[in-house]
Amino acid sequence: MRLRNIPGAKDELKQYPNIVVQDPSQHKGSWKGVFNNENPIHVEVGTGKGQFLVGMSELHPHINFIGIEKYDSVLLRALEQVKDLDRPNLKFLNEDVADILNFFKKGEAERLFINFTDPWPKNRHKKRRLTYKGFLEMYEQILVDGGEIHFKTDNQGLFEYSLESFSGYGMTLHNVSLDLHRSGIKGNVMTEYERKFSRKGMRIYRCESKFRS
């Protein structure tokens, strides 16, 4: 999908350093100080326009959420949703998830969300998939022992690949759903893509995967 560039987006993001954290590498190992509490931290990679984390941060005020999105024009849409809300437990990083080890120490986060990521369907591009083993290695390094990944997608091929990737990495799978919106799961917060696809009657695939303790 072609991303529409919004002139001045990066400058606009810089106007809200209390929401879009500038130079996050400075906070590596001290994120609980950024939030000024000892609450658990959950991270979403490829946060897009932010609908998921805006919803999650409202439902779970005692969890701190950090969304990572490298496209400033996309992250601007997330900022627009939250800048007038009182949501101290939500921060965004305008960064590439490939650099995630620069921003977090081991054990700083308890859970990681991957929602509707680019499937990169060609085999030669598999290393770009956010569920590729190279990314799993990085996620494991920032999560607590036994930390979890919660994954959602509309793409069956990516879902099957990801289940194999998680299992091959030695992770355990839980709550695997081949049709999320007919599974009866409670507390599901939809992303903008999820809402769009579900209205078309498309299946949503979901699983939880846990690293070794």
Side-chain angles (χ1 to χ4, degrees), residues 1 4 12 36 78 81 83-84 93 97 118 122 157 171 201:
M1 182 182 69
R4 185 170 69 88
E12 181 70 10
N36 198 31
Q81 289 193 63
K83 66 182 182 181
D84 295 323
L93 309 184
V97 79
D118 192 327
K122 295 181 180 179
M171 303 174 74

Side-chain angles (χ1 to χ4, degrees), residues 39-50:
N39 294 338
I41 292 173
H42 293 183
V43 176
E44 183 185 24
V45 295
T47 203
K49 297 179 182 178

Side-chain angles (χ1 to χ4, degrees), residues 49-76:
K49 297 179 182 178
Q51 183 171 318
F52 176 75
L53 284 193
V54 171
M56 290 291 284
S57 62
E58 180 179 13
L59 284 178
H60 305 284
H62 299 299
I63 295 176
N64 297 322
F65 294 93
I66 299 175
I68 303 175
E69 173 57 55
K70 69 178 180 179
Y71 296 110
D72 48 69
S73 293
V74 176
L75 188 57
L76 180 60

Side-chain angles (χ1 to χ4, degrees), residues 106-111 140 142-148 211-212:
K106 171 62 182 174
E108 278 205 280
E110 294 191 6
R111 183 173 297 170
E140 185 177 25
I142 73 163
L143 291 170
V144 297
D145 291 338
E148 297 179 345
F211 285 102
R212 296 178 289 267

Side-chain angles (χ1 to χ4, degrees), residues 9 16 23 47 70 85 88 97 101 104 124 132 182 193 196 200:
Y16 295 86
D23 196 5
T47 203
K70 69 178 180 179
L85 302 178
V97 79
L101 295 182
F104 300 96
R124 69 175 184 269
Y132 177 69
R182 292 182 175 85
Y193 281 121
K196 175 182 176 181
K200 294 180 178 180

